[in-house]
Amino acid sequence: MMTFKGWILAATALATTALTATLPDAAMAQDGEKLRFVVVSHIGSNDPNMNWLTMAMEEFGKKYPDVEAEYISTNNYSIQEHVRLLEQAIATRPDGIAVPIVSPDAFEGPLRRAIESGIPVVAFNIADGRPEGERIPYVTYVGGDELLTGRKLGEYALSQVEAGVVPAPTRVVCASHDSAHEGLKKRCAGMREVMEASGAKFDELFIGAEPATARNTLQSYLSANTDTNYIFTVAGWSAPWAWGVANEMGLSPDVDMEGVTVLTVDEGPVSIEGVRQGHVLATNSQGFWLQGYAPLEWLYWNVKHGYAPQQDILTGPIIITKENADKWSDLVRSVFGEEAYNQQNTW
């Protein structure tokens, strides 16, 4: 298996694409002053994915010591708080901003004002999904395609139906904890496309982010829709809630030809262990390390050299299944550490 260091080097090479050859060997600022980039994120320290971003930013700092990169987030997330943090960051006049476009409507005003004032913006993790002429005019987007995430997970599920691993879907529910999150909506939409095309019924269900409320909501839905046999949780940490409710209801939620099949997202410990233990059919990686590194590098190239890519940069999805979950477990343990990995495995 590739070592973590080797994976990081390979990821860095992917992020730099063909432009690395045009950069000088030493990337120190000619004027001796540091640039300051600010990452304004919805991913706080209570989200395991922050580990990827933190490590990537540390690696960026080693290669570009003439940049000071600051990460701002909150564990008590709301769209309003995210906008407040964004406006606060813009007021400090950084040399560049990296931000997920959680809500294009809410972020458009502040970001357009920042861009018009000369601050370049790179979107990461969540894009503005509107057509190019209508979307926020950021330099580029770096991240997964969440519509594609839903599609590819759905297509993998159907391939396992053909292989006789899981039953054909009759009704699929997409369980979301944030009704305003554009990325989560797209995950549901991608899954809907595939599952409805196969003949299955499809529902979106807002369950919230509080465990007891989410469980009660799921239980009520499954009781009222007894033909449901697939649950797609658009956050990895809610997969055990869905599995637990289905298990308590006697719906046989493990990966087999009976009962309910669970699908989820992301390469966190809970998602990977769900796959390894046979509770979850599949999950995905959206290339979080690259999402921490590449936006900062594109900001640097844009500010220092005037570079801008010709299209968005996709870092995922990569489908994680029983066949490759052990390798992902080794990789994620090397990032999170054994103790943190086991703490976040809530199965």
Side-chain angles (χ1 to χ4, degrees), residues 244-300:
V245 168
N247 191 51
E248 290 170 3
M249 296 176 69
L251 300 179
S252 183
D254 280 338
V255 178
D256 52 33
M257 286 297 292
E258 300 178 3
V260 167
T261 299
V262 178
L263 293 154
T264 195
V265 296
D266 287 340
E267 66 272 68
V270 67
S271 299
I272 292 171
E273 289 306 309
V275 173
R276 294 181 76 204
Q277 296 174 30
H279 301 320
V280 173
L281 177 61
T283 185
N284 81 297
S285 169
Q286 56 177 292
F288 260 114
W289 191 92
L290 282 171
Q291 292 182 30
Y293 187 96
L296 296 174
E297 190 158 62
W298 275 110
L299 283 173
Y300 185 88

Side-chain angles (χ1 to χ4, degrees), residues 25-208:
D25 291 335
M28 290 298 292
Q30 293 180 1
D31 57 11
E33 295 182 2
K34 282 194 171 187
L35 297 171
R36 186 171 68 89
F37 298 152
V38 181
V39 179
V40 189
S41 179
H42 66 304
I43 299 171
S45 60
N46 61 336
D47 188 323
N49 290 315
M50 185 173 171
N51 294 55
W52 294 100
L53 302 179
T54 300
M55 184 167 288
M57 291 177 66
E58 290 174 353
E59 196 69 22
F60 173 85
K62 294 175 185 177
K63 184 173 180 181
Y64 298 98
D66 55 334
V67 179
E68 177 185 344
E70 180 181 355
Y71 190 96
I72 301 174
S73 66
T74 176
N75 288 338
N76 299 314
Y77 183 77
S78 69
I79 295 290
Q80 294 78 10
E81 178 65 9
H82 199 163
V83 171
R84 187 189 71 79
L85 292 175
L86 180 60
E87 291 177 333
Q88 177 180 300
I90 292 169
T92 67
R93 297 294 305 166
D95 296 295
I97 293 173
V99 59
I101 313 299
V102 176
S103 172
D105 290 340
F107 286 24
E108 182 159 21
L111 287 179
R112 284 190 182 273
R113 288 193 294 273
I115 294 166
E116 289 168 2
S117 73
I119 301 173
V121 172
V122 169
F124 79 97
N125 189 252
I126 307 168
D128 182 342
R130 296 173 295 183
E132 188 170 349
E134 300 175 19
R135 77 182 192 181
I136 297 165
Y138 43 70
V139 174
T140 191
Y141 166 69
V142 178
D145 182 326
E146 296 312 316
L147 188 68
L148 197 58
T149 293
R151 285 178 186 163
K152 291 300 181 181
L153 284 167
E155 289 170 358
Y156 176 77
L158 294 183
S159 76
Q160 296 306 287
V161 171
E162 293 182 5
V165 176
V166 289
T170 53
R171 182 186 291 269
V172 181
V173 60
C174 183
S176 177
H177 59 280
D178 187 344
S179 60
H181 191 306
E182 289 298 318
L184 305 187
K185 292 179 184 178
K186 289 184 178 180
R187 289 175 182 175
C188 288
M191 181 68 71
R192 177 190 291 274
E193 286 182 15
V194 173
M195 291 301 184
E196 287 188 340
S198 76
K201 299 175 184 177
F202 191 95
D203 293 314
E204 292 184 41
L205 179 68
F206 175 65
I207 61 172

Side-chain angles (χ1 to χ4, degrees), residues 304-338:
K304 298 289 287 184
H305 307 287
Y307 290 155
Q310 298 303 305
Q311 60 186 19
D312 292 345
I313 301 162
L314 295 187
T315 60
I318 303 165
I319 303 303
I320 300 174
T321 69
K322 194 77 169 178
E323 285 67 35
N324 61 7
D326 287 347
K327 292 183 178 181
W328 276 98
S329 174
D330 291 342
L331 174 60
V332 175
R333 285 176 193 275
S334 72
V335 176
F336 287 34
E338 191 72 21

